Amino acid sequence: QVQLVESGGGLVQPGGSLRLSCVASGSIRSINYMGWYRQAPGKQRELVAGITRGGITNYGDVVKGRFTISRDNAKNTVYLQMNSLKPEDTAVYFCKAVALYGAISYDYWGQGTQVTVSS
């Protein structure tokens, strides 16, 4: 089992910045990939950014060049630095961990943190 706790959301003005954190606990060694997803009202959940255990990153097209994902393995934490925020970035942001148990892959999700970009 893996538990994920997100923090760092809030209200920010357009053009501003926020940093989200996701702390993982439990079966940490089984985690192969962690990522951030977001879901706006009436829309499907979409990939924001992800990072593998080895540090390889991938980003959703809408955030490339503005958001940066990083991880601190010593703290079991993944960060999402969000710069140049736009109103359309408003959503609930979820942390996801993909754990491998032998040949079986399992997804874990955090409870989400609200990000609101508005003047």
Side-chain angles (χ1 to χ4, degrees), residues 1-6 21-34 53 71-78 95-101 106-111:
Q1 293 285 332
V2 173
Q3 294 80 42
L4 304 171
V5 178
E6 303 106 329
S21 300
C22 175
V23 180
S25 61
S27 301
I28 302 300
R29 293 184 179 181
S30 65
I31 297 175
N32 189 54
Y33 174 90
M34 292 187 71
R53 175 179 288 275
R71 65 189 297 167
D72 185 335
N73 289 331
K75 296 182 178 180
N76 300 321
T77 301
V78 171
C95 179
K96 172 184 173 181
V98 178
L100 294 178
Y101 302 103
Y106 197 85
D107 294 347
Y108 296 92
W109 293 90
Q111 80 287 353

Side-chain angles (χ1 to χ4, degrees), residues 3-119:
Q3 294 80 42
L4 304 171
V5 178
E6 303 106 329
S7 62
L11 173 64
V12 63
Q13 292 187 342
S17 298
L18 279 177
R19 190 177 80 156
L20 306 182
S21 300
C22 175
V23 180
S25 61
S27 301
I28 302 300
R29 293 184 179 181
S30 65
I31 297 175
N32 189 54
Y33 174 90
M34 292 187 71
W36 288 97
Y37 290 71
R38 69 186 185 187
Q39 188 165 20
K43 295 188 177 181
Q44 290 188 333
R45 192 170 295 189
E46 63 178 356
L47 170 71
V48 177
I51 187 166
T52 68
R53 175 179 288 275
I56 298 172
T57 60
N58 65 308
Y59 293 91
D61 289 339
V62 293
V63 304
K64 283 182 179 177
R66 298 189 297 124
F67 293 8
T68 303
I69 189 169
S70 61
R71 65 189 297 167
D72 185 335
N73 289 331
K75 296 182 178 180
N76 300 321
T77 301
V78 171
Y79 303 98
L80 183 68
Q81 178 66 44
M82 305 186 294
N83 298 328
S84 302
L85 283 161
K86 305 175 182 180
E88 50 264 43
D89 293 318
T90 296
V92 178
Y93 284 69
F94 296 90
C95 179
K96 172 184 173 181
V98 178
L100 294 178
Y101 302 103
I104 299 174
S105 173
Y106 197 85
D107 294 347
Y108 296 92
W109 293 90
Q111 80 287 353
T113 185
Q114 177 70 47
V115 171
T116 302
V117 184
S118 175
S119 55

